[in-house]
Amino acid sequence: MIEGDTMIYVKKSVDRVIEFLTCALFLVMIAVATWQVLSRFILKNPSTFTEELLRYSLIWLAMLATAYVVGRSEHIAITYLRDRLDEESANKLDIVIQVFFLLFSATVMVYGGAKAVSLTMAQISPALHLPMGYVYLALPMSGVFILFYSSINILHILNRKKKIETMMEERSAS
């Protein structure tokens, strides 16, 4: 099992990498969109690659951001049931949810995404002349990040549960 400080350090490092990638990608998208508008309306000579680059960049941005919000536990959630449970039951539900994240990201995103990458690597995009497998690579990469984050989230929930149990034992001993 990973020690607490090491786990926190690794998670923060992965957070910083994803933050940097998503911010850089967003800045590139702003620059490319600006160039598209300028070339179309001012220069009267529309750029041929910008629309495709923006589309593929948005896919990467969305997939990386999805992994990031899973890591911060800020994903969209319906908390109606969880809010009505006691702490122990809520922790169990949180673990079940994270296990579903693990299963989905392992099967659909990592395994299915890897299949999609291998099937589309020979296809070339029309404007960028980029193998389409690189576009689909966002899926398994994001899936690996989600696997990592969900594992960390489960460890965090288990540690939270241990702290609660320790506090309850201390109260009953007093």
Side-chain angles (χ1 to χ4, degrees):
M1 186 178 226
I2 301 175
E3 291 182 32
D5 291 340
T6 306
M7 181 175 68
I8 291 169
Y9 176 77
V10 170
K11 183 184 180 299
K12 285 185 178 183
S13 298
V14 172
D15 284 348
R16 276 189 244 116
V17 167
I18 294 178
E19 287 168 358
F20 174 78
L21 290 173
T22 53
C23 288
L25 194 53
F26 192 63
L27 289 173
V28 167
M29 289 174 67
I30 291 170
V32 170
T34 303
W35 173 249
Q36 183 177 19
V37 170
L38 289 174
S39 67
R40 179 169 298 181
F41 294 110
I42 295 175
L43 301 177
K44 306 291 185 202
N45 186 14
S47 179
T48 57
F49 72 93
T50 52
E51 185 179 335
E52 192 171 282
L53 180 59
L54 285 169
R55 187 179 320 120
Y56 299 155
S57 298
L58 183 60
I59 291 168
W60 272 89
L61 182 70
M63 297 311 301
L64 289 173
T66 298
Y68 183 73
V69 297
V70 167
R72 296 182 55 100
S73 294
E74 293 179 357
H75 49 80
I76 295 174
I78 300 172
T79 60
Y80 182 80
L81 176 62
R82 189 191 189 288
D83 293 343
R84 282 150 182 73
L85 296 173
D86 60 272
E87 191 69 28
E88 185 177 338
S89 298
N91 282 338
K92 288 178 183 175
L93 179 63
D94 289 343
I95 290 173
V96 168
I97 290 167
Q98 292 301 318
V99 167
F100 279 125
F101 273 130
L102 283 170
L103 292 172
F104 179 81
S105 61
T107 56
V108 174
M109 297 181 77
V110 175
Y111 178 74
K115 288 275 196 193
V117 168
S118 65
L119 289 172
T120 58
M121 199 52 90
Q123 295 177 1
I124 304 298
S125 69
L128 295 174
H129 306 290
L130 180 76
M132 289 301 294
Y134 292 142
V135 177
Y136 287 100
L137 187 61
L139 199 59
M141 281 189 63
S142 177
V144 168
F145 284 129
I146 291 173
L147 285 172
F148 168 76
Y149 280 131
S150 291
S151 301
I152 295 291
N153 290 345
I154 288 172
L155 292 174
H156 177 73
I157 294 164
L158 293 173
N159 287 338
R160 183 174 67 204
K161 184 178 176 184
K162 285 180 187 176
K163 287 179 185 176
I164 291 170
E165 290 172 354
T166 305
M167 286 175 35
M168 297 301 266
E169 288 174 4
E170 289 173 356
R171 283 185 188 166
S172 64
S174 301

